[in-house]
Structure formats: structure tokens, C-alpha cells
Amino acid sequence: MRQNIRECAVHHIKQQQVLLSVGRVDAIAGGTVQIVGLGRATKLGDHITVSTFDGPRQGEVVRLMQENAFVLLAKGGSGVAIGDRARHDNIADFAPHQDWIGRVVDPDGRPLDGRPLLPGSVPVAVEAPPPAAHQRRPMGARLETGFAVFNTLLPIVRGQRVGLFAGSGVGKSTLLGDLALSVKADVIVVALVGERGREVQHFIKNVLGDAGMSRSVVIAATSDQPPQLRRRCALSAMAVAEYFRDQGLQVLLLVDSVTRFCEAHRELAVAGGEAANLRGFPASTGPVIAGLCERAGPGVENQGDITAVFSVLVAGSDMEEPVADMLRGVLDGHIVLEREIAERGRFPAVDVLRSVSRSLPAAASEVENKMITQARTMLGAYDRAAMMIQSGLYVAGTDDLTDKAIACFPSLDEFLTFKNERGSLAHFAKLRQALVSTQGGDS
């Protein structure tokens, strides 16, 4: 049901500030200023506006001590003077609604596409707890993705939370866009966290296009924006996904990327006095990642599900770096995109042997699981002997398993690039054909 415009307008007007708490800048250290006089009602995360000679400067409270509030300013401390006035701003309600579908908004719910947009009449919490563990339903049926590799070897099921691990330039954003277009869902929520401004427009216009945007809500915070806004981008996107989930809808959530979300959290945590001693990340990074990811997944009775894909930027394919390592521990599977595979022209550049779907074996039948195991065995055998094969040192007949792997590898490699809308049954039939050569010609 579309929102009542009058009701939302009245609610929006009621949120406007009447009384303001005012303090003064007492100390400045880099981009953090110390403010006195705001009162004891000030809380962590509150918005503060500092009035300077060059104009107003927005910030967020990152630390509190008795009568002092430490505020991280969005554009640094340059131009701020001792004694400048600081005003406590109310945080506007974050209230998504059906009219947000097809729109691009910032983490505070303000439109970024040049058209007016009223908030809904029912606010939601940006940092909400996950559903009660004992009330959640199990993961649902296998989703049709259009990709043979995800319909067979690495299935994605309804309510699953998957990590997409990739370096830069290996097709991560393109794959996310393809999943948004092909995965069956009622609503798609996309979080573009710390993305380049040009890439935001490219993703919306060229990757999603009109077809994708017609069922999507995009929440964006570009790389030049302050860390508090970049961090809130992923949290706001999750809140939007929860809003539609609570209406009984099936939601696909795409977060690009969790790495930039964690980098923004690190900036805020360090500004608040926390030590970054976990290979450059503070100890609170793990709980923050878990708190975000646990909110996705199956809902409780009479709710929908949030099927989530969280992308992670891994430098030099280092899957042991802190963010990647922590994320793997809380997800229901991970997909690894490999640069070497992309460089030889195979897209999506999925490294099947390093990727795992924890929806298996339940997401496939007994016959399908046997085919998946056989395909992984063949790919593993070829991978172990790849250097000898490519250098011409391997002699046919030396190892029966390797011979079978060599025979079917071209067909399997081609299968991993296959994409159409025919569904899982057709893709498993194609996988069976690719494995025929290992059976001596029998299917």
C-alpha cells in the first residue's frame, strides 16, 4: 500500500527541532573537537553542528567524558576556532516505505536522485538487534540465479548469507549487478559503501539499468563522505531490508563492500580512543561485523527472508586478512573471485575449490550432490597437476584420476561460464554432460 502523503508530511513536520542545546568548542585535535556545555543528555552517535567563520560544520559524537563531548567533524578541524558555537541536532527518523523502491537515497534517508522523497510515518532503528535465534525459520529453497555455477556447485538458498571475496578489477560489481537482475526476489536493497561517485552512477545506470532499479532501493555513501556516513550506509541498508522483510517480502540485500564499512568503523573507533591493534583494526570490528550480518537471514514466522551477499575487498587474494577472516566465520558460505581466472577470460572468475556454500548438501538431491562431489574432485585433480600439465611434463597414463580430469576440464571450465534463465535442472543436465568423459562415455 502506498503511503498516505498527508500523514507522512505531518509526521515529518513534528520531527523538526524547537529547542536546541548549545555548547562551545573547548579544544581541537585534528578532525576531532572537544565541546563543553551540551549537557548530560548528549549520547554517542548524536549529530552536532559547529558554527565557524567559514560556515556550519557537521560532526558526530564519538566519545563522552563528564561535561565534555568529543566530536569527529565531517570535513576535518581546519577553520574551527576555540569558542565556536556547537549545536546539538536531533537525528531525523529513518523511516523507509514502499515509495523508496526505484529510488537512490543516502544513509539518512534523503534522496540523491534529484526528486523529492518524504520519509514514511513509522520509523525504524538503524542499529536494530537480529531476530531471536530460537524463533528464526531455517533457510529456504534454492534460488534460481541464472548462473550455472551458483545453481549447481555453489547454490544460494533463500535466507542465506554469502560473502563475495575479490580483489579490485575482477568483476565483483558486475557479478553483483547480474545477481540483482537474475535472482528471484520481491525487493532488492543495494548498499554502495564508500564507492567512487562515478561508479555509483555507472552501477545504477549501466549495471542495474531500468529493469533492476524498478525493484531496487539503492543506499549510497561515496568515498569522499565522512566515516560516520559511510558506516551508517550498510546499517541503513540493512534497516531498509528489514522493513520489507517484516512485510512478508523476500529481500535480496547486496552490500558493496564490508571492507569499506569496517574501514569507516575504524576511523570512528580510533577517533573515540580505541586502539587499532588487530592488524590495523580495533577489537570492536568483529562484534560490528557479526552485528551487521546476523540481522540478515531467515525471518521469524509470518516474515520474509533477507538473502544477503556481502562483498569483501581482499588485497593480493589474502583471505586471512582480518575483515575477510572475521566475515567467513559468521556467514553461510563464501565465493572467491580469482584474478588469474579473470585474466584468462573466464567470467564469473569463481575459484570453485576455494569457495564454499554451507547450504549443501541440503540444497541438492542425492544425485545432484554426487555430481557436485565428482566435479570438485575433477577440478581439484586438475589443479594439483596444472603446473606439470601446462609445462608438458605430465605423461598420459601416469595417474587415472588426473587423466580423467584432463579429459573433462575444458568442458567443466566452459560450464562455469554458462548463464541462462533455464534453471537448476537444465544446469545440472549440462554439468552431467561435462562429466561424461570421466565415465568412459556413459552418462
Side-chain angles (χ1 to χ4, degrees):
M1 180 182 295
R2 294 289 177 180
Q3 67 168 341
N4 184 308
I5 300 298
R6 181 178 179 277
E7 178 184 345
C8 291
V10 170
H11 176 78
H12 183 63
I13 291 170
K14 287 181 178 180
Q15 297 303 309
Q16 303 308 305
Q17 282 184 273
V18 178
L19 299 177
L20 302 174
S21 297
V22 177
R24 297 285 176 181
V25 174
D26 188 56
I28 305 167
T32 305
V33 297
Q34 179 178 324
I35 297 172
V36 296
L38 288 178
R40 293 181 178 269
T42 305
K43 305 179 295 299
L44 284 177
D46 282 359
H47 293 187
I48 304 295
T49 298
V50 177
S51 299
T52 73
F53 179 79
D54 299 324
R57 307 285 284 276
Q58 278 72 41
E60 182 174 307
V61 177
V62 294
R63 186 181 176 194
L64 289 169
M65 290 180 61
Q66 293 295 331
E67 302 296 330
N68 300 330
F70 295 83
V71 176
L72 180 64
L73 295 178
K75 297 182 179 179
S78 178
V80 181
I82 300 295
D84 281 347
R85 191 179 72 164
R87 184 187 73 223
H88 184 284
D89 297 327
N90 283 341
I91 302 176
D93 285 341
F94 188 79
H97 54 78
Q98 295 284 350
D99 288 346
W100 284 26
I101 297 177
R103 302 298 301 274
V104 184
V105 301
D106 76 359
D108 292 326
R110 295 172 298 214
L112 295 175
D113 51 12
R115 293 182 287 151
L117 179 67
L118 278 175
S121 57
V122 181
V124 300
V126 172
E127 298 194 51
H134 67 284
Q135 294 180 351
R136 301 187 84 154
R137 292 178 283 101
M139 292 189 295
R142 186 168 60 198
L143 290 171
E144 298 293 345
T145 66
F147 289 91
V149 64
F150 299 129
N151 279 357
T152 56
L153 303 178
L154 298 168
I156 299 173
V157 302
R158 203 162 59 193
Q160 187 173 358
R161 301 164 303 175
V162 180
L164 180 61
F165 297 78
S168 57
V170 296
K172 170 177 56 66
S173 296
T174 301
L175 179 56
L176 287 174
D178 286 341
L179 289 173
L181 293 173
S182 57
V183 172
K184 293 183 178 179
D186 298 316
V187 180
I188 301 163
V189 179
V190 182
L192 299 177
V193 184
E195 190 59 88
R196 292 164 290 179
R198 178 185 62 80
E199 291 296 329
V200 171
Q201 187 71 354
H202 171 77
F203 187 86
I204 293 168
K205 295 293 184 182
N206 300 102
V207 179
L208 284 180
D210 293 338
M213 280 301 298
S214 66
R215 58 177 184 148
S216 299
V217 181
V218 177
I219 294 89
T222 53
S223 59
D224 63 306
Q225 292 183 306
Q228 49 266 47
L229 208 59
R230 285 183 274 123
R231 181 182 184 275
R232 201 156 57 244
C233 182
L235 299 171
S236 296
M238 186 64 74
V240 173
E242 289 169 334
Y243 168 81
F244 289 108
R245 177 206 63 195
D246 292 348
Q247 297 183 19
L249 300 178
Q250 294 299 322
V251 182
L252 175 65
L253 172 66
L254 306 174
V255 178
D256 188 17
S257 68
V258 174
T259 304
R260 297 193 185 106
F261 166 75
C262 292
E263 289 170 350
H265 170 74
R266 175 175 59 190
E267 291 182 55
L268 292 172
V270 170
E274 190 174 350
N277 50 16
L278 186 64
R279 289 180 63 181
F281 287 92
S284 60
T285 304
V288 166
I289 288 176
L292 175 70
C293 295
E294 279 296 322
R295 293 168 63 182
V300 301
E301 199 66 33
N302 299 321
Q303 289 184 345
D305 306 305
I306 301 175
T307 305
V309 180
F310 300 95
S311 78
V312 184
L313 289 167
V314 286
S317 300
D318 181 12
M319 292 290 288
E320 305 306 317
E321 63 93 18
V323 174
D325 190 43
M326 287 184 281
L327 197 65
R328 281 204 316 272
V330 297
L331 296 180
D332 307 311
H334 53 272
I335 299 164
V336 178
L337 300 186
E338 182 60 53
R339 187 173 303 280
E340 291 183 4
I341 296 175
E343 287 173 348
R344 62 183 175 84
R346 197 246 282 168
F347 293 97
V350 179
D351 187 336
V352 175
L353 297 177
R354 297 175 66 198
S355 303
V356 173
S357 174
R358 293 179 182 170
S359 65
L360 289 174
S365 67
E366 183 178 353
V367 173
E368 290 170 343
N369 276 311
K370 286 181 178 179
M371 279 193 283
I372 292 170
T373 300
Q374 186 180 1
R376 280 186 167 273
T377 300
M378 293 299 107
L379 290 170
Y382 187 90
D383 184 69
R384 288 190 296 272
M387 186 172 295
M388 294 183 64
I389 295 169
Q390 292 165 6
S391 62
L393 297 177
Y394 180 77
V395 178
T398 303
D399 179 73
D400 184 56
L401 181 60
T402 304
D403 290 341
K404 290 180 179 180
I406 293 172
C408 72
F409 181 77
S411 298
L412 279 177
D413 198 49
E414 180 185 1
F415 168 79
L416 296 177
T417 70
F418 191 63
K419 179 176 183 280
N420 67 13
E421 304 299 329
R422 295 171 59 193
S424 298
L425 292 177
H427 289 154
F428 270 110
K430 190 171 181 65
L431 177 60
R432 183 182 293 109
Q433 292 175 0
L435 292 169
V436 161
S437 56
T438 70
Q439 311 264 344
D442 297 327
S443 60

